[in-house]
Amino acid sequence: MAQLVNLTLLLVMILLLSLFSMDAAAKPSINRPQRRYNPQTIVYIKASCQTTLYPNLCLRCLYKFAKSNIQSPQHLAHVALSVSFSRALYTRDYLLQVGKQFKALKNSNNRRDYVVLQDCLKQINDSVDQLGFSIKELERLNKIPNTLINDGVLWHISNVETWVSTALTDARTCVDYFPGHRMSKMKATIRGKVLNVAQVTSNALAIFHKYAAKYQAAAQANKRP
């Protein structure tokens, strides 16, 4: 009898706990911070992404920053490059892990795959370096007053464009290693991740071009007699 009572009490406690959990999930906590997006930032991001080759991907990547106050080309360019850099780092780490798996397998197919993967890894590693250089160069450029347009400013802009373009070429080269015909699930996953790096880098380059355009236009205007 005592055991039956104890079992009944246990079941009642479980039921009460489950009901409490359901009620807590249904009602938002007073202390839980609510996600509030900046409407002006959303409008600005949408307009900027329309100038890229992959606008939907651009929106998905940048919407997470819509809570901040991004309303300037230089800020958005920095965010876009940071997203590209983050994706490249993540993909490099993934390729390193897959490379260890391929290396552990001894059959000839995996040896060939391992060689191809290492070539791809070199390209992505270079993309990481180039994007890192471009972000640091953009930070140097942002410290220069907007009213100052000279050859030094254009030199910084050219450096960023060159490095981001090189990172994009490297990522596209890696994509070419996996043509997409009759690939294994692993190769298809690799191709998808590398293709994502190429696409977000393409978007970042387009957004930076928009940022750099005002400097380049001002420089051309200064050269006119």
Side-chain angles (χ1 to χ4, degrees), residues 5-193:
V5 172
N6 290 336
L7 179 60
T8 302
L9 289 174
L10 179 61
L11 291 174
V12 171
M13 291 178 63
I14 293 174
L15 178 60
L16 289 173
L17 286 172
S18 63
L19 290 173
F20 176 79
S21 299
M22 291 173 62
D23 184 65
K27 297 179 181 179
S29 172
I30 296 176
N31 297 324
R32 184 183 303 166
Q34 301 298 312
R35 295 175 64 86
R36 294 182 180 179
Y37 294 103
N38 187 318
Q40 293 179 329
T41 299
I42 291 178
V43 170
Y44 185 70
I45 288 174
K46 285 183 177 179
S48 300
C49 284
Q50 292 307 309
T51 65
T52 68
L53 287 179
Y54 311 99
N56 291 333
L57 176 63
C58 178
L59 288 173
R60 290 198 303 271
C61 290
L62 298 182
Y63 257 21
K64 66 181 67 176
F65 301 96
K67 290 186 292 183
S68 60
N69 185 27
I70 301 177
Q71 296 181 38
S72 64
Q74 59 265 38
H75 191 182
L76 188 63
H78 191 278
V79 169
L81 286 173
S82 298
V83 169
S84 181
F85 181 66
S86 177
R87 295 291 177 91
L89 279 173
Y90 168 77
T91 301
R92 183 180 66 177
D93 291 342
Y94 175 78
L95 294 178
L96 286 170
Q97 294 177 6
V98 174
K100 292 178 181 179
Q101 297 176 21
F102 281 173
K103 190 175 182 180
L105 300 173
K106 303 299 182 181
N107 61 66
S108 58
N109 287 334
N110 279 290
R111 280 198 294 270
R112 287 193 295 269
D113 291 342
Y114 178 75
V115 172
V116 172
L117 184 67
Q118 290 303 305
D119 290 338
C120 179
L121 181 57
K122 290 178 182 177
Q123 300 294 333
I124 294 300
N125 193 55
D126 190 57
S127 290
V128 170
D129 291 341
Q130 301 295 328
L131 290 169
F133 296 153
S134 67
I135 291 173
K136 291 179 180 178
E137 192 74 352
L138 180 58
E139 290 173 351
R140 298 186 188 100
L141 181 60
N142 289 340
K143 293 178 181 179
I144 301 175
N146 293 337
T147 56
L148 181 61
I149 305 297
N150 54 32
D151 291 340
V153 170
L154 297 180
W155 180 73
H156 287 301
I157 289 174
S158 177
N159 286 341
V160 175
E161 290 178 334
T162 298
W163 287 327
V164 179
S165 296
T166 301
L168 176 58
T169 300
D170 289 333
R172 286 174 172 169
T173 300
C174 187
V175 172
D176 292 340
Y177 291 148
F178 303 92
H181 304 295
R182 296 181 179 179
M183 291 191 302
S184 65
K185 184 177 179 180
M186 176 69 77
K187 290 182 181 179
T189 301
I190 294 172
R191 187 180 192 277
K193 291 183 182 299

